[in-house]
Amino acid sequence: MTKPSIYGLTYEQLTDWLTDRGQQRFRVDQVWNWLYKKRVATFRDMRNVNKQTIELLEENFVLHTTEEEMKQESKDGTIKYLFKLADGNLIETVLMRFNYGLSVCVTTQVGCNIGCSFCASGLLRKSRDLSSGEIVEQIMNVQKDLDEKGAGERVSHIVVMGIGEPFDNFTNLMDFLYVVNDDRGLNIGARHITVSTSGLAHKIYEFADTGIQVNLAISIHAPNNELRTSIMKINKAFPIEKLMKAVDYYLEKTNRRITYEYIMLKDVNDHEEEAIQLAKLLEDHRHLAYVNLIPYNTVDEHSYYQRSDSETIQAFFETLKGKGIHCGVRWENGADIDAACGQLRSKQMKKKNVV
Ligand code: SAH
Ligand code: SF4
């Protein structure tokens, strides 16, 4: 069996692991510093760490279990990586450049079981969850790639919006968040991290209870159950009322603003009527709501769905705004390199005749 990545351990887990094996406490800080601040390529590069500790680490862990299979760079600076996992599965990670910093979109599962009808990721059923190490590695791989360029660039933001449903892999997601947020290491601010869920209501309670200051985004995509169920079958298990109850709990507990993602699907959910319904749904807590309108990226296998045209998107935006809802339109990055979720992976898999 391949050894796990050391990046999967939170600071506390690494502390327990090392001290349980008779290592002194200060070694933890040394190792953590080499991993996340100096970002070594091998355990042997940890120069002030004693031989015995290095051997112990080498016997039980590796740094990277994933390798770069492919990389595409877009004209706007977006970089899309395809990583190969130890078991041969492929996952994708995207680096996007914004005026506020560099944001990385990470994948949390191989495939996705939620099966939203418009999404490329859902075409492949989940074959497994990613380990926390495999999620952290995505950030480390990208950061090390930036380090090599020598321009001192740093990943400053993370969106958990790649393939998979993060709340269906909750423990590993949380460990990942604790690692990247740790101020002794990568120190990526919780407020700079966003987790997107398709609406697993019971996990929204659990997420609120962790007390973590990470932002929450909910893929709402439709303002009523009939329409939502027709495009997201998860709405049967967690209909809008259940979801909004979980939202109430989250808001009460955290007082943090929630982003509602709304994909603009031509003639499906983009009428004025739906904008009015959406505004109504959110009106009670509109001071803690932000609607992100996402122009749909067409997926070959879902040709039934098309992107709403820009006038319709603009009109939808104006209606929401007119009703006092904070909102914006997410114009895409990396349009020339299949930067929408699951698209590069699904194309590569097809080329390899995997699907
Ligand atoms: N599973 C989680 C997170 C990953 S998807 C979720 O669904 O929230 C991240 C966002 O991208 C979701 O809002 C999802 O609905 C959206 N998305 C999926 N396919 C898309 C496509 N082809 N074009 C635009 N957005 C898409
Ligand atoms: Fe899964 Fe999110 Fe795609 Fe739905 S939109 S199938 S939850 S990745």
Side-chain angles (χ1 to χ4, degrees), residues 112 114-116 118-119 121-122 162-165 198:
C112 182
I114 307 293
C116 302
F118 49 79
C119 173
S121 313
I163 297 171
E165 167 49 54
S198 57

Side-chain angles (χ1 to χ4, degrees), residues 81-278:
Y81 299 85
L82 197 65
F83 295 121
K84 189 153 122 198
L85 306 178
D87 63 6
N89 272 305
L90 298 172
I91 57 164
E92 58 189 63
T93 307
V94 186
L95 168 76
M96 294 163 288
R97 289 168 200 278
F98 295 103
N99 50 13
Y100 54 76
L102 298 186
S103 181
V104 173
C105 176
V106 294
T107 286
T108 52
Q109 298 179 315
V110 181
C112 182
N113 268 349
I114 307 293
C116 302
S117 62
F118 49 79
C119 173
S121 313
L123 288 170
L124 303 164
R125 289 193 67 76
K126 180 180 95 172
S127 59
R128 69 173 176 87
D129 290 330
L130 293 192
S131 65
S132 52
E134 288 168 331
I135 312 176
V136 178
E137 273 187 68
Q138 295 173 58
I139 301 294
M140 294 308 294
N141 288 342
V142 173
Q143 183 60 60
K144 285 180 175 177
D145 198 27
L146 292 170
D147 291 345
E148 265 174 31
K149 289 189 177 143
E153 287 187 307
R154 180 178 165 266
V155 175
S156 59
H157 291 67
I158 295 176
V159 288
V160 185
M161 294 188 184
I163 297 171
E165 167 49 54
F167 281 179
D168 182 37
N169 186 13
F170 195 81
T171 309
N172 294 341
L173 168 77
M174 291 312 298
D175 284 350
F176 158 73
L177 294 175
Y178 292 130
V179 171
V180 293
N181 180 228
D182 195 295
D183 59 8
R184 292 157 292 209
L186 289 177
N187 194 19
I188 300 175
R191 288 180 173 77
H192 287 184
I193 305 175
T194 303
V195 174
S196 172
T197 178
S198 57
L200 303 191
H202 59 308
K203 292 291 175 185
I204 295 178
Y205 291 92
E206 216 174 312
F207 192 61
D209 287 340
T210 64
I212 202 163
Q213 301 285 305
V214 162
N215 305 310
L216 178 65
I218 297 179
S219 297
I220 192 87
H221 303 328
N224 62 65
N225 282 325
E226 196 187 341
L227 186 56
R228 193 161 190 269
T229 304
S230 74
I231 56 177
M232 300 175 77
K233 60 182 193 228
I234 188 76
N235 194 65
K236 275 193 209 137
F238 301 105
I240 292 180
E241 313 75 71
K242 262 197 191 164
L243 192 53
M244 294 318 280
K245 259 200 166 155
V247 162
D248 288 341
Y249 180 84
Y250 178 89
L251 295 179
E252 197 172 303
K253 192 100 190 186
T254 67
N255 204 35
R256 297 181 59 71
R257 188 170 85 164
I258 294 179
T259 296
Y260 298 86
E261 293 161 281
Y262 196 101
I263 305 190
M264 297 299 293
L265 300 166
K266 189 178 171 67
D267 298 332
V268 175
N269 65 352
D270 62 353
H271 311 98
E272 189 185 13
E273 189 192 333
E274 277 109 27
I276 294 169
Q277 281 180 19
L278 183 61

